[in-house]
Amino acid sequence: MKLKTVAIAAAALALAVGMTACGGAASTAASSTASSAAASSEAASSEVASSEAEATSAEYTVYNTTGSKVTELYLYDAGSEDKGENLAGEGLADGENIVITRDVEADKQADVVYVLEFTTEDGNTQSFDTLHYEVAPISLKSVDAAAGATAIAFEAPQK
């Protein structure tokens, strides 16, 4: 679709340039046609960009770097009472990772705020309450390592 629109715009532009050599009113008409074709091409490009924006998914690669098995892992909307499914399943061993994907309509993505909450096998529960709609690596930290600003780090573990 985009290629066809671009081809039409190029043909109209070539016609306009050719008619300019002939001069006068024909040049004005051709110029108008080229402008219309260019506007149509730009509108079509915007439509393609919009539909591509709708297809954008949030993707979080969550690495367990806690030193313990993660027994519970949740990613849910901030303010929600329902945490949803335990994404750790039967557990996420230290050093393992999981990819979590979320899909939200393009016009609502900027307003999305998630809570990422996890519990380790020793019973420690931690959370990060302001996770936005994005593609990011996330390393879960142990309680001792999380004594800083947050319980997570936006990075893949060093190998």
Side-chain angles (χ1 to χ4, degrees), residues 40-126:
S40 295
S41 175
E42 191 172 318
S45 293
S46 293
E47 276 183 42
V48 169
S50 293
S51 62
E52 286 175 358
E54 291 173 18
T56 302
S57 294
E59 183 178 283
Y60 310 96
T61 303
V62 180
Y63 299 90
N64 179 3
T65 60
T66 63
S68 301
K69 181 178 184 178
V70 171
T71 56
E72 296 179 38
L73 176 65
Y74 301 98
L75 179 68
Y76 56 94
D77 292 328
S80 175
E81 294 293 322
D82 182 16
K83 294 181 184 180
E85 172 189 358
N86 178 1
L87 301 170
E90 294 183 23
L92 187 64
D94 185 47
E96 290 185 338
N97 69 67
I98 184 173
V99 176
I100 304 170
T101 305
R102 293 288 187 262
D103 292 305
V104 174
E105 295 173 22
D107 60 337
K108 296 178 182 169
Q109 292 174 359
D111 299 326
V112 172
V113 178
Y114 292 122
V115 175
L116 179 69
E117 181 179 309
F118 64 97
T119 302
T120 57
E121 65 186 344
D122 53 4
N124 290 315
T125 298
Q126 300 185 82

